[in-house]
Amino acid sequence: SCCGMTFLVWYFLGKMKSRERWITWVVAVLPWGWSVFVAASRLVDHWHHPSDIVAGLGLGFASSTLAYHVWYPPVWSPSAGIARPVLEEFDSSGNQKFASFND
């Protein structure tokens, strides 16, 4: 759950144009809160050992952070929230590099 929720946090933060602080906290805290809730429920129900949960949270966070940054620019970038393959279709002046099929 940490992997999916962390990717969701990165995606939402990249798409957000409003940089109001409380919105950022809500976007970041809710998915990660759900992830911690799932991890805690696994511990309380004796499905996993604590070291399994810590390792899962760490691996999920690291792998989704890596995956997000492979496909999207950093959230502090002006082009945040736009997939890299889409960005590569345009040159520095904003014109398409390749002819589209609609022409």
Side-chain angles (χ1 to χ4, degrees), residues 53-72:
I53 293 171
V54 171
L57 290 172
L59 284 171
F61 179 81
S63 62
S64 65
T65 299
L66 178 68
Y68 177 83
H69 287 96
V70 165
W71 288 101
Y72 291 94

Side-chain angles (χ1 to χ4, degrees), residues 3-57:
C3 185
M5 294 300 112
T6 300
F7 193 91
L8 188 66
V9 167
W10 284 123
Y11 183 78
F12 283 160
L13 290 177
K15 288 289 187 180
M16 287 177 51
K17 300 300 178 196
S18 172
R19 298 294 182 199
E20 292 185 30
R21 200 170 189 148
W22 70 273
I23 294 174
T24 304
W25 276 102
V26 168
V27 166
V29 168
L30 285 178
W32 278 330
W34 177 255
S35 181
V36 169
F37 171 76
V38 169
S41 72
R42 306 291 184 200
L43 180 65
V44 170
D45 293 342
H46 301 290
W47 281 93
H48 292 287
H49 194 269
S51 63
D52 297 339
I53 293 171
V54 171
L57 290 172

